[in-house]
């Protein structure tokens, strides 16, 4: 560095090497510039690094080991021929000054003022560490043969006591000699664990779980292989059964009410009343409308058929009577179209009123039945006006 800096320097015309010695002597400056501003007092400014952890007494803050400061260095004494230096520096967190000095006797630094040391030292003898040989002991070992022999015997006894531990440590270290094999085994284990973790993460993402999954076991795999999650019917079977159901059901709308329910009994009652009304309309027609092909219908007194509410087969009986009591086969009951339309309209009105507005009371329903039933007469052909010889 000195040779490089010495090149390309400007030397004035009045520069005399014998008189000035160097350019610093010519300019009357020190080579260290600002660092040597207190050199007349024996103080040199250096870059000091904190040797251990301390607490500042001014701000009570912790200052870690390795923090650097601009410190004033000066010589304060000697330990034998080794000089003792003191360092004075300002805390970077407050205005407090910290002073430390070297301790050649213990190869350490001592805090003079301004800080407290964080005690992290230990006794080497208590920790069963190898103690450093002191200078006086070292000189005695070199000069006194009997002391050396005695010291060697003590060392051999210590070796016998520590031999089992040393052999165990050596056996443990011998297992780590093949670095390539150990590295390969470790990387293989890492890859396997990485695949398992990736598989678990995929399952957790698919099932939207936030809990960690346990590792797989052989018993779980065997149990999972025995389980089958499959529908009892295949897609083709379901499609075939659905088509069969569609083909077999009725094309017309059917009542969904069960026969035993209130809605089912209501619908059945309305149907019976409609059929009874149609039969009564047909039976109440005039005899002139029922005469066809020169024959007349004669009414005969018959027993009156009384319908009970719990007898649903009365209508069938009335129909059979209406169809079989004509003595002349050509005399047929044919109600007019106006009567049919009136009966159908009456049935629809009744159905709508009872479903939407509720059931009618008992007296109104009985009156409606009597009004719609009319007189029941028997249909018998009357041949009294015809010729007796016929």
């Amino acid at each position: 560095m000195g040779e490089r800096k010495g090149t390309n320097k400007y030397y004035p015309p009045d520069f005399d090497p014998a008189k000035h010695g160097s350019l610093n002597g010519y300019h009357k400056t020190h080579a260290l510039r600002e660092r040597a501003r207190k050199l007349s007092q024996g103080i040199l400014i250096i870059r000091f690094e904190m040797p251990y952890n301390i607490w500042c007494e001014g701000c009570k803050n912790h200052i870690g080991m390795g923090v650097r400061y601009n410190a004033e260095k000066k010589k304060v004494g000697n330990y034998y021929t080794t000089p003792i230096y003191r360092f004075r520096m300002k805390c970077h967190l407050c205005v407090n000054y910290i002073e430390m000095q070297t301790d050649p006797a213990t190869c350490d630094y001592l805090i003079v003022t301004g800080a407290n040391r964080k005690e992290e030292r230990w006794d080497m003898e208590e920790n069963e560490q190898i103690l450093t040989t002191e200078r006086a002991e070292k000189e005695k070992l070199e000069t006194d043969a009997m002391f050396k022999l005695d010291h060697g015997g003590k060392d051999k006894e210590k070796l016998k006591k520590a031999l089992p531990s040393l052999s165990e440590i050596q056996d443990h270290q011998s297992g780590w000699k093949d670095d390539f094999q150990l590295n390969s085994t470790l990387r293989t284990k890492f890859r396997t664990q990485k695949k398992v973790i990736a598989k678990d993460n995929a399952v957790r993402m698919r099932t939207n779980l936030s809990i960690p999954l346990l590792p797989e076991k052989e018993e779980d795999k065997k149990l999972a292989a025995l389980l089958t999650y499959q529908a009892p019917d295949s897609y083709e079977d379901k499609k075939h059964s659905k088509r069969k159901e569609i083909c077999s059901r009725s094309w017309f709308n059917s009542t969904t009410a069960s026969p035993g329910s209130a809605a089912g009994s209501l619908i059945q009652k309305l149907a019976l009343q409609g059929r009874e009304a149609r039969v009564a309309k047909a039976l109440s027609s005039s005899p002139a409308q029922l005469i066809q092909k020169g024959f007349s219908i004669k009414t005969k007194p018959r027993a009156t058929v009384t319908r009970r509410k719990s007898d649903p087969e009365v209508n069938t009986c009335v129909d059979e009577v209406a169809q079989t009591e004509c003595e002349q086969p050509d005399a047929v009951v044919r109600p007019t179209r106006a009567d049919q339309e009136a009966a159908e309209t009456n049935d629809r009105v009744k159905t709508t009123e009872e479903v939407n507005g509720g059931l009618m009371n008992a007296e109104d329903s009985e009156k409606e039945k009597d009004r719609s039933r009319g007189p029941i007469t028997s249909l018998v052909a009357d041949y009294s006006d015809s010729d007796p010889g016929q």
Side-chain angles (χ1 to χ4, degrees):
M1 292 294 291
E3 292 79 7
R4 185 183 64 78
K5 290 181 180 180
T7 58
N8 298 328
K9 300 289 186 179
Y10 173 72
Y11 291 90
D14 58 345
F15 174 75
D16 186 4
K19 179 181 178 181
H20 301 103
S22 65
L23 288 175
N24 291 327
Y26 175 78
H27 293 291
K28 296 180 181 181
T29 60
H30 197 275
L32 298 177
R33 299 295 189 274
E34 292 296 327
R35 293 174 57 189
R37 66 180 181 271
K38 295 183 179 182
L39 195 60
S40 60
Q41 304 174 12
I43 298 174
L44 179 66
I45 298 175
I46 64 168
R47 194 71 172 165
F48 181 78
E49 185 174 332
M50 194 63 65
Y52 42 73
N53 298 322
I54 65 171
W55 281 282
C56 178
E57 289 184 351
C59 58
K60 306 300 181 182
N61 287 320
H62 177 266
I63 300 175
M65 182 175 60
V67 180
R68 295 181 179 183
Y69 294 94
N70 292 329
E72 297 178 357
K73 173 185 175 184
K74 67 177 180 179
K75 183 179 178 181
V76 295
N78 290 319
Y79 176 74
Y80 295 103
T81 58
T82 305
I84 299 174
Y85 294 101
R86 182 172 293 180
F87 306 94
R88 185 173 185 269
M89 66 208 82
K90 181 179 175 296
C91 178
H92 65 288
L93 300 173
C94 63
V95 296
N96 182 46
Y97 280 88
I98 302 171
E99 290 187 5
M100 303 180 68
Q101 70 180 20
T102 59
D103 185 11
T106 58
C107 300
D108 201 358
Y109 287 87
L110 299 176
I111 298 175
V112 180
T113 57
N116 293 321
R117 180 174 182 174
K118 183 180 180 182
E119 194 62 45
E120 295 177 338
R121 291 173 290 185
W122 61 87
D123 189 359
M124 298 178 65
E125 187 175 359
E126 291 181 357
N127 295 334
E128 298 182 358
Q129 293 181 344
I130 299 175
L131 302 176
T132 57
T133 306
E134 296 183 359
R135 184 176 179 180
E137 188 177 356
K138 187 183 292 185
E139 291 178 356
K140 198 171 183 180
L141 286 171
E142 292 176 357
T143 58
D144 193 349
M146 295 299 295
F147 182 78
K148 183 178 180 181
L149 182 62
D150 187 16
H151 194 274
K154 292 181 180 178
D155 291 342
K156 288 180 180 179
E157 291 179 0
K158 291 181 181 178
L159 178 62
K160 289 180 181 179
K161 293 180 180 179
L163 190 62
S165 300
L166 294 175
S167 61
E168 184 179 354
I169 293 173
Q170 290 176 355
D171 294 340
H172 182 70
Q173 290 179 348
S174 63
W176 296 84
K177 286 184 178 180
D178 193 355
D179 298 338
F180 175 78
Q181 184 65 27
L182 292 174
N183 190 16
S184 177
T185 304
L186 184 62
R187 290 174 67 86
T188 304
K189 184 178 179 181
F190 175 74
R191 290 193 187 97
T192 305
Q193 293 178 354
K194 189 176 180 181
K195 290 180 181 179
V196 173
I197 292 172
K199 185 178 179 181
D200 292 346
N201 291 336
V203 173
R204 292 170 60 187
M205 290 292 292
R206 186 171 64 251
T207 57
N208 195 15
L209 292 176
S210 59
I211 57 176
L213 301 179
L214 296 176
E216 293 183 354
K217 296 182 180 179
E218 293 297 330
E219 297 178 358
D220 298 338
K221 291 182 179 179
K222 292 180 181 179
L223 182 61
L226 296 175
L227 298 177
T228 55
Y229 299 98
Q230 187 177 1
D233 297 332
S234 62
Y235 175 75
E236 296 295 334
D237 295 340
K238 290 182 179 179
K239 186 169 66 173
H240 180 69
S241 61
K242 190 172 182 180
R243 288 182 177 178
K244 187 176 181 181
E245 180 183 356
I246 293 172
C247 295
S248 61
R249 71 186 182 188
S250 177
W251 289 7
F252 304 100
N253 293 330
S254 60
T255 57
T256 58
S258 59
S261 62
S265 61
L266 174 61
I267 295 172
Q268 186 177 6
K269 182 178 179 181
L270 294 175
L272 293 175
Q273 290 180 0
R275 295 179 63 182
E276 183 181 356
R278 287 194 295 272
V279 172
K281 290 281 185 180
L283 294 177
S284 62
S285 301
S286 60
Q289 296 177 354
L290 300 177
I291 297 174
Q292 293 183 359
K293 296 182 181 181
F295 294 99
S296 63
I297 298 174
K298 180 180 179 182
T299 59
K300 292 183 178 180
R302 290 182 53 83
T304 304
V305 179
T306 305
R307 185 188 66 83
R308 294 192 304 270
K309 292 184 179 180
S310 60
D311 191 1
E313 297 181 357
V314 174
N315 294 331
T316 57
C317 297
V318 174
D319 294 340
E320 291 176 358
V321 170
Q323 293 178 5
T324 57
E325 284 188 352
C326 293
E327 296 178 0
Q328 186 65 24
D330 292 336
V332 181
V333 177
R334 292 185 180 179
T336 61
R337 186 172 183 80
D339 296 335
Q340 294 178 358
E341 290 179 357
E344 292 176 0
T345 303
N346 189 16
D347 295 341
R348 285 197 297 270
V349 171
K350 287 181 181 179
T351 305
T352 305
E353 289 178 354
E354 291 186 1
V355 172
N356 296 332
L359 294 173
M360 298 172 62
N361 53 36
E363 295 180 359
D364 295 340
S365 62
E366 291 296 334
K367 292 179 181 180
E368 188 67 24
K369 291 176 185 177
D370 296 338
R371 193 182 307 115
S372 61
R373 186 180 300 144
I376 300 176
T377 58
S378 61
L379 301 178
V380 181
D382 188 4
Y383 298 97
S384 60
D385 297 337
S386 60
D387 188 4
Q390 293 179 355

